[in-house]
Amino acid sequence: MRYLIFMTILGLSACVEEPIDGRALYLENCASCHGADAKGDGLAARNLTVTPPDLTTLSARNGGVFPRDYVMSTIDGLDRGTHFDPAMPEFGAGDLGETIIVEDAGLGTPVPMKLLILSDYLESLQE
């Protein structure tokens, strides 16, 4: 009986995922170019043809409003101009996690969870 209870608990715990941490996502995927502090001075930045931008000033460069849609489409790879270095990966081609519905003005849009969490983290860094 104890074995059955242990296996049931073990099975249920396997269904619970670790919470996703925006800072950890950033450090793992972005810091090598954008820097640990998101100022654009990562170790790999000096080898790029285009200097990575300071991600802490996104809101300041957008009239004081965090440009969430722009940030998410840039990370995803959906909407990039020619001013981007080709070294910037298109993260949308990989696994950005389960899709969740984000509602804005009554319109629900499916957004990959990791993309939303990373965007929220970048918003928290705004100066």
Side-chain angles (χ1 to χ4, degrees):
M1 182 67 157
R2 286 185 182 170
Y3 177 76
L4 180 60
I5 293 171
F6 174 75
M7 292 307 289
T8 302
I9 292 171
L10 185 62
L12 288 174
S13 66
C15 295
V16 178
E17 291 185 31
E18 288 250 344
I20 300 169
D21 176 35
R23 183 174 193 283
L25 278 173
Y26 175 82
L27 291 174
E28 181 180 327
N29 296 289
C30 313
S32 62
C33 294
H34 291 280
D37 62 358
K39 299 277 187 183
D41 57 357
L43 292 175
R46 59 184 95 133
N47 298 320
L48 300 175
T49 57
V50 177
T51 303
D54 179 343
L55 299 177
T56 67
T57 61
L58 291 165
S59 291
R61 290 181 277 142
N62 192 52
V65 177
F66 184 71
R68 179 176 305 282
D69 291 343
Y70 172 77
V71 168
M72 289 195 302
S73 66
T74 299
I75 294 168
D76 180 76
L78 178 66
D79 184 24
R80 292 199 190 154
T82 56
H83 63 286
F84 282 93
D85 190 296
M88 171 81 177
E90 291 188 14
F91 291 100
D95 179 20
L96 290 175
E98 290 184 35
T99 301
I100 57 174
I101 303 298
V102 175
E103 192 170 318
D104 184 23
L107 178 65
T109 304
V111 177
M113 186 179 304
K114 289 180 184 177
L115 184 60
L116 186 61
I117 290 170
L118 183 54
S119 178
D120 285 347
Y121 175 71
L122 291 174
E123 185 174 15
S124 77
L125 298 177
Q126 299 308 292
E127 296 177 345

